[in-house]
Amino acid sequence: MARGGLAMTAEALASLAGVSKVTLSDFEIGKRSPHPRTLAAIRAALESAGVIFVEENGEGPGVRLRRRERPTAPDGGPT
């Protein structure tokens, strides 16, 4: 879900996280569980790309995308 929200390919996320595409794909389809350091690398890569991980809040954990800064004109107004 997080990768899809970013429109990021598996290849791009794997590269950012420093893991192989096969490792990432196996994790995404539930074929295997990642080592803690691999999971931390994937999470860090997603966070650097704009994903915010939301902790359990009664509805379950989730993710959302960080707001993108809107460009402003030199006078401070919207462009």
Side-chain angles (χ1 to χ4, degrees), residues 54-66:
V54 180
E55 300 299 323
E56 171 70 48
N57 64 1
E59 298 276 337
V63 296
R64 65 185 182 109
L65 299 180
R66 186 179 314 120

Side-chain angles (χ1 to χ4, degrees), residues 8-78:
M8 181 183 284
T9 65
E11 291 85 359
L13 178 54
S15 178
L16 280 173
V19 301
S20 75
K21 181 181 176 285
V22 171
T23 296
L24 179 65
S25 295
D26 284 353
F27 171 53
E28 288 183 336
I29 64 173
K31 188 173 180 180
R32 62 178 165 167
S33 296
H35 295 286
R37 69 178 175 273
T38 303
L39 187 58
I42 293 168
R43 181 177 178 141
L46 289 168
E47 288 175 335
S48 73
V51 171
I52 298 170
F53 287 85
V54 180
E55 300 299 323
E56 171 70 48
N57 64 1
E59 298 276 337
V63 296
R64 65 185 182 109
L65 299 180
R66 186 179 314 120
R67 288 186 188 170
R68 294 184 184 202
E69 294 296 319
R70 293 176 49 178
T72 57
D75 66 359

